[in-house]
Amino acid sequence: MSRTELAGGVVEGTITVDGVEVRYFDSVADHFATGESSRHPLVLVHGTGGSTRAHYGYLFPLLAGRQRVVAVDFAPPVPTQGPLTLEHLERQVVAVLDAVLPDRPVTLVGYSLGAVVAAAVAARHPQTVRNLVLVAGWMKTDAHQELRNKVWQRLREERSQALGDYMAFCAFSGPFLVASQALGDSSPALTAFEPNAFTDVQMKLNRTIDISGLVPSIAATTLVIGCTHDQMVPKWHSKALFASIPDARYTEITSGHAVVIERPAQLVQIIDQFTDAPSRDAAGDIVATARP
Amino acid sequence: MNPSTEPQHPGTADVEVVIIGTGFGGLAMGAQLKRHGRESFVLLERADDVAGTWRDNTYPGAACDVPSHLYSFSFRPNPEWSRFFSPGPEILQYLRDTAHAEGLLPHIRFGTNVEDARWDAAAQRWTVTTSQGVFTGRFLVTATGHLSDEALPPIKGLDGFTGDVFHSARWNHEVPLEGKRIGVIGSGATAVQLVPELAKTASELVVFQRSAQYVTPRPDRAYTESEKQLFRRDPDAMADHRSEIFWFLESRYAERRAVPDILDKARSQALNHLERQVKDPELRARLTPDYELGCKRVLISDTYYPALTRDNVTLEASALDHVEGSKAISRDGNTYELDVLVFCTGFETAEPPYARLVHDANGISLSDHWAQGMEAFASTTVAGFPNLFIINGPNTGLGHNSIVYIIEAQVDYILGALDWSRANGNHVLDVSARAQERYVDELQQRSDGTVWLSNGCKSWYIDPRSGRLTLIWPNFAHEFRYRNGTFDSAPYTAAETSAAR
Ligand SMILES: Cc1cc2nc3c(=O)[nH]c(=O)nc-3n(C[C@H](O)[C@H](O)[C@H](O)COP(=O)(O)OP(=O)(O)OC[C@H]3O[C@@H](n4cnc5c(N)ncnc54)[C@H](O)[C@@H]3O)c2cc1C
């Protein structure tokens, strides 16, 4: 275990899980932990090929002003332990919860594959996960996802020059790509992202996800966020989660899968307003996003 | 159509709501009262036309710097905007059309300067004295703007200047500028729009710059006919476009919050723009700011830097110090022989002019009340000033998004307040001093760590008397609507209300 203090009072630490070091970040300062508007700490779980920095570089500091925020960086398990499983990733999240926020209820936020992990953790740890936010998540991989995953796999194996463009094409919505170009804003995220061996095993795991048996037992007050133009985890997956989790409400953001880059401020808004009063919207509600 | 041709109604009138001003703020308030079936209101306007800022700022190159589809009312989307950033006259026309189409002209009293407003505790009404008689009303809404009264720095010898002098917001269209030697005082948002225009025809142009500004690219373009047709036929497409712009701008709040990676990216975007457009290292150095990005309004222009590299343009990197006859002498001691001086020196902001007009029941003015800087609960109401609402007042300004969004949230709050008061026996709304204090303290707390309070940041957003951030809303724009867009009666019914004063 290690702990280092970074700028802005954020602590970076590691803990050992299944023989590997798992890194986490902790904003430490417990705003609104008590008093009339008490809030549970937020715990952020990133998606495939991501990290706290890549997926929550915007959200972490902006949400940290409102309550304590902790984020986990997934670590590749030791290869001798066999293929990467969902349970590996769940154990990493639970270990960080136990080490950093022992005995504290939390609001767990998962994005993409992180939403799958978060949903599973929530189902198995109802005492800890009081509130749950699932952004562009899913519960059972379908034929549409398998097809996209297969093309990705093929391009990767062939070391194709087209892989970067293919990933950008899948990740971003058409309107965002067009608008970014018009605004002359070629954000670094649009340039090719380099997959590595850990990405490969996560992509493999993505092909076999099925937590449909677990999801109906989630007791947390849940917000499901779908992305209108998502081509990687199309919004019908979010609708399926919404339908299967008893205390769930649903809202949609006009973006592609890369919502953390396309609409980060809207994501902050929606998560912040949910954590402020998780049950404001009733279970089963489809909540329209506010028009500016 | 010229609204000023409407008949005037001098004399006294008693109404439910008295609104001062007919800019974006006053028109939004009037339109929503009307849309909610409330007819008993007047809009008092000292000028003879609507649109405030956009009636006054007629300088060459005037345009909005928030995209038009967002810098307009959500309840009056306009498929006809010609450009991403539409020119000033188009915004003026939009606001005139709004006044007309929303049926506000019969409610407007033009040429009516508000000279005094007092709360009459016995009558539970505001008495508003104007150049055209007295108006009384249960509620007073000030929408007099925060950039409506121009600021002129005291310059020694200016009275004796042999040429023409005017402020950018009071443009003198009689003065021919072609072939003239012109001095522009200031290098802020207005100068950046004006300088490229003047540079085209002036024989000589000198820009007096007190401090350098960050300037970023301006992605302007005309809307095509087919885009406009789509907006006419499919209003949802226009609403989506507006949302897209809103959330794009909203994401940039992280720069003001000084999130390192995001601020670094924004700063280098601005500095790269300078580097690309200005090759001369000496000029570039004079144009490089010495404070953090976002501390002052971040400017957008693709033509300002190139204008400064023209042979007929000089950047004087110090303020105008004094004037001797036809000579303008800078703080650094450089002398320029000039025919015209244009002041682009901004507006009275820390102490807004309306604060001197508005008095509580004991005759104490808002401005005395605000001796240590202005403050209000929900950025809208002030303890001790019952049934008063201030639009675009303390802590409402944005560095990153459209003020019209804030104004509309305030209008919704006020409508809620009026409804609640009516439903509760015309309950007088005096906010608790404690609620106001708590609100302001939390705002100041939330301002910590923002660029406005960073080292070396000196801007008009901060009150010089208290060092507090009194103009800016130091948060996301959406947070303003969430916190302040819905009326809640609790802070107005607490036992300590008014008695605590
Ligand atoms: C050149 C310029 C460009 C700008 N561009 C943008 C932009 O792109 N985006 C943005 O968000 N903001 C911009 N602003 C800020 C702008 O001020 C606001 O966006 C907005 O126009 C303010 O509207 P308002 O109704 O509050 O005030 P104003 O438009 O100033 O209207 C106030 C009205 O009240 C009247 N009035 C004042 N005192 C009295 C009195 N005592 N009696 C009677 N009537 C009175 C005035 O005559 C005026 O008509 C710009 C400002 C300027 C100066």
Side-chain angles (χ1 to χ4, degrees):
Chain A
M1 275 190 68
S2 74
R3 270 172 71 91
T4 335
E5 188 151 338
L6 310 176
V10 174
V11 162
E12 179 183 332
T14 59
I15 49 167
T16 309
V17 184
D18 295 334
V20 294
E21 297 261 284
V22 175
R23 183 169 36 197
Y24 64 84
F25 299 88
D26 179 3
S27 73
V28 186
D30 248 327
H31 303 282
F32 300 116
T34 55
E36 31 187 307
S37 52
S38 78
R39 292 180 176 197
H40 302 313
L42 269 179
V43 179
L44 310 176
V45 186
H46 67 76
T48 305
S51 62
T52 299
R53 193 184 164 122
H55 286 172
Y56 294 118
Y58 190 99
L59 274 73
F60 188 108
L62 286 151
L63 289 166
R66 296 152 191 243
Q67 66 267 296
R68 185 168 177 181
V69 177
V70 172
V72 185
D73 272 0
F74 287 141
V78 184
T80 51
Q81 292 177 347
L84 176 70
T85 63
L86 196 57
E87 289 71 24
H88 278 116
L89 301 178
E90 282 179 58
R91 280 198 293 276
Q92 295 186 6
V93 172
V94 172
V96 170
L97 289 174
D98 287 345
V100 183
L101 300 164
D103 302 319
R104 283 195 59 178
V106 301
T107 298
L108 192 59
V109 179
Y111 166 54
S112 191
L113 175 60
V116 178
V117 178
V121 171
R124 294 195 233 268
H125 302 270
Q127 284 309 313
T128 305
V129 183
R130 294 293 168 80
N131 305 313
L132 177 66
V133 181
L134 303 176
V135 186
W138 77 105
M139 59 183 188
K140 191 173 190 317
T141 303
D142 69 6
H144 178 270
Q145 287 173 307
E146 275 169 18
L147 188 58
R148 180 186 48 76
N149 198 306
K150 209 163 94 187
V151 176
W152 185 91
Q153 193 76 18
R154 191 66 185 265
L155 295 172
R156 173 91 169 118
E157 280 162 14
E158 292 173 354
R159 298 178 182 283
S160 168
Q161 294 286 315
L163 184 62
D165 285 347
Y166 179 67
M167 287 195 295
F169 178 80
C170 293
F172 295 102
S173 71
F176 180 78
L177 285 173
V178 172
S180 305
Q181 195 194 33
L183 291 168
D185 184 45
S186 56
S187 99
L190 292 180
T191 59
F193 143 90
E194 246 344 286
N196 59 26
F198 188 35
T199 319
D200 292 335
V201 292
Q202 291 174 71
M203 285 301 278
K204 201 161 167 212
L205 171 62
N206 285 344
R207 269 177 266 157
T208 60
I209 294 297
D210 185 358
I211 54 167
S212 53
L214 213 47
V215 166
S217 66
I218 292 173
T221 304
T222 303
L223 173 67
V224 178
I225 304 174
C227 300
T228 312
H229 302 295
D230 196 332
Q231 304 180 98
M232 296 177 74
V233 186
K235 66 179 188 182
W236 61 76
H237 290 285
S238 288
K239 286 272 176 74
L241 285 166
F242 166 59
S244 308
I245 300 171
D247 188 6
R249 63 273 309 123
Y250 175 85
T251 196
E252 211 168 286
I253 297 181
T254 310
S255 83
H257 191 66
V259 60
V260 290
I261 293 161
E262 293 188 29
R263 289 280 174 101
Q266 192 172 13
L267 209 46
V268 169
Q269 177 201 36
I270 290 171
I271 293 173
D272 183 54
Q273 293 183 6
F274 173 70
T275 49
D276 192 34
S279 297
R280 180 186 304 111
D281 298 305
D285 276 3
I286 294 185
V287 185
T289 48
R291 286 287 197 185
Chain B
M1 181 216 61
N2 181 356
S4 66
T5 57
E6 285 292 306
Q8 302 290 302
H9 317 255
T12 303
D14 182 64
V15 289
E16 190 183 24
V17 191
V18 176
I19 302 163
I20 314 176
T22 58
F24 267 107
L27 294 179
M29 188 72 240
Q32 292 299 348
L33 285 175
K34 206 94 185 161
R35 284 173 177 232
H36 285 77
R38 289 178 179 263
E39 289 288 336
S40 180
F41 66 93
V42 285
L43 291 147
L44 308 179
E45 172 57 60
R46 65 184 174 196
D48 59 5
D49 198 352
V50 297
T53 292
W54 299 100
R55 173 197 69 227
D56 291 343
N57 286 273
T58 58
Y59 59 83
C64 51
D65 59 9
V66 165
S68 295
H69 273 283
L70 183 62
Y71 188 61
S72 46
F73 297 122
S74 66
F75 58 89
R76 284 195 67 80
N78 173 23
E80 311 302 330
W81 290 121
S82 66
R83 308 191 64 83
F84 202 60
F85 300 101
S86 296
E90 223 177 292
I91 306 170
L92 170 60
Q93 193 55 48
Y94 169 80
L95 290 172
R96 283 178 175 165
D97 292 346
T98 297
H100 179 71
E102 299 287 334
L104 298 178
L105 294 178
H107 295 265
I108 302 178
R109 305 291 177 268
F110 289 110
T112 304
N113 185 40
V114 173
E115 289 157 357
D116 186 90
R118 263 160 225 274
W119 175 249
D120 178 342
Q124 301 200 338
R125 298 189 103 66
W126 282 94
T127 306
V128 181
T129 308
T130 77
S131 57
Q132 302 289 322
V134 175
F135 294 80
T136 55
R138 289 214 317 113
F139 298 97
L140 176 64
V141 180
T142 67
T144 53
H146 60 163
L147 303 179
S148 55
D149 290 40
E150 65 275 21
L152 280 172
I155 300 285
K156 209 175 90 206
L158 189 58
D159 285 349
F161 182 61
T162 50
D164 291 293
V165 181
F166 50 88
H167 188 276
S168 55
R170 301 281 176 268
W171 197 264
N172 185 341
H173 291 272
E174 312 283 291
V175 176
L177 295 171
E178 270 176 48
K180 291 290 166 62
R181 298 168 301 180
I182 307 170
V184 168
I185 324 302
S187 58
T190 295
V192 157
Q193 295 183 341
L194 177 62
V195 163
E197 296 305 312
L198 294 182
K200 289 177 191 162
T201 57
S203 65
E204 212 185 307
L205 185 67
V206 181
V207 180
F208 293 85
Q209 171 193 276
R210 198 173 46 178
S211 61
Q213 311 278 330
Y214 284 97
V215 183
T216 58
R218 183 172 188 262
D220 193 26
R221 66 180 185 86
Y223 286 104
T224 63
E225 192 44 45
S226 103
E227 283 174 301
K228 287 188 263 183
Q229 187 68 320
L230 174 65
F231 291 156
R232 288 177 206 119
R233 290 182 169 177
D234 180 7
D236 280 352
M238 188 163 36
D240 285 347
H241 185 50
R242 182 180 171 98
S243 292
E244 203 168 80
I245 297 166
F246 177 85
W247 289 112
F248 174 76
L249 293 182
E250 192 75 326
S251 72
R252 312 198 81 163
Y253 169 68
E255 297 165 14
R256 307 296 180 272
R257 231 0 318 138
V259 175
D261 290 359
I262 295 170
L263 185 55
D264 289 349
K265 188 186 154 203
R267 195 188 314 103
S268 47
Q269 196 195 23
L271 295 177
N272 289 342
H273 189 52
L274 172 61
E275 203 161 310
R276 259 194 316 272
Q277 294 201 317
V278 177
K279 298 291 167 217
D280 172 8
E282 204 266 325
L283 178 60
R284 201 188 281 165
R286 280 184 283 154
L287 288 168
T288 306
D290 59 0
Y291 53 85
E292 191 50 275
L293 177 128
C295 157
K296 297 170 197 254
R297 196 169 179 89
V298 177
L299 309 179
I300 54 167
S301 177
D302 292 341
T303 51
Y304 180 64
Y305 288 146
L308 294 177
T309 65
R310 292 170 65 121
D311 290 340
N312 63 333
V313 180
T314 307
L315 177 73
E316 168 59 44
S318 73
L320 173 63
D321 186 73
H322 65 283
V323 172
E324 289 170 14
S326 61
K327 296 190 179 70
I329 297 108
S330 75
R331 189 137 311 164
D332 286 355
N334 298 314
T335 301
Y336 303 93
E337 196 63 58
L338 297 171
D339 305 314
V340 183
L341 288 177
V342 181
F343 282 84
C344 302
T345 39
F347 301 85
E348 298 291 347
T349 50
E351 202 195 31
Y354 64 83
R356 266 170 267 138
L357 309 177
V358 177
H359 299 79
D360 68 10
N362 304 318
I364 299 173
S365 74
L366 204 44
S367 106
D368 285 337
H369 200 78
W370 282 347
Q372 290 310 307
M374 52 178 188
E375 57 173 67
F377 175 75
S379 300
T380 308
T381 56
V382 183
F385 289 78
N387 286 7
L388 169 71
F389 301 95
I390 300 166
I391 292 182
N392 213 344
N395 295 112
T396 53
L398 292 177
H400 71 286
N401 213 323
S402 168
I403 189 69
V404 181
Y405 178 83
I406 299 289
I407 289 173
E408 287 194 37
Q410 291 193 281
V411 166
D412 283 350
Y413 182 89
I414 298 168
L415 288 172
L418 300 192
D419 283 348
W420 187 86
S421 169
R422 183 183 279 181
N424 289 273
N426 287 340
H427 189 102
V428 171
L429 296 170
D430 188 5
V431 75
S432 105
R434 189 153 150 58
Q436 181 175 323
E437 192 183 306
R438 227 186 287 141
Y439 176 83
V440 172
D441 284 349
E442 201 197 316
L443 272 193
Q444 297 304 324
Q445 257 173 40
R446 296 279 305 153
S447 314
D448 281 350
T450 61
V451 290
W452 301 295
L453 299 180
S454 64
N455 268 343
C457 174
K458 202 167 156 288
S459 84
W460 55 267
Y461 299 142
I462 294 169
D463 192 294
R465 294 165 298 188
S466 62
R468 283 183 149 200
L469 205 53
T470 55
L471 269 139
I472 278 281
W473 168 251
N475 212 317
F476 284 110
H478 72 246
E479 177 81 0
F480 188 93
R481 175 166 276 288
Y482 185 61
R483 295 283 307 266
N484 300 330
T486 309
F487 179 77
D488 167 19
S489 63
Y492 296 86
T493 50
E496 71 221 80
T497 299
S498 62
R501 310 207 61 257

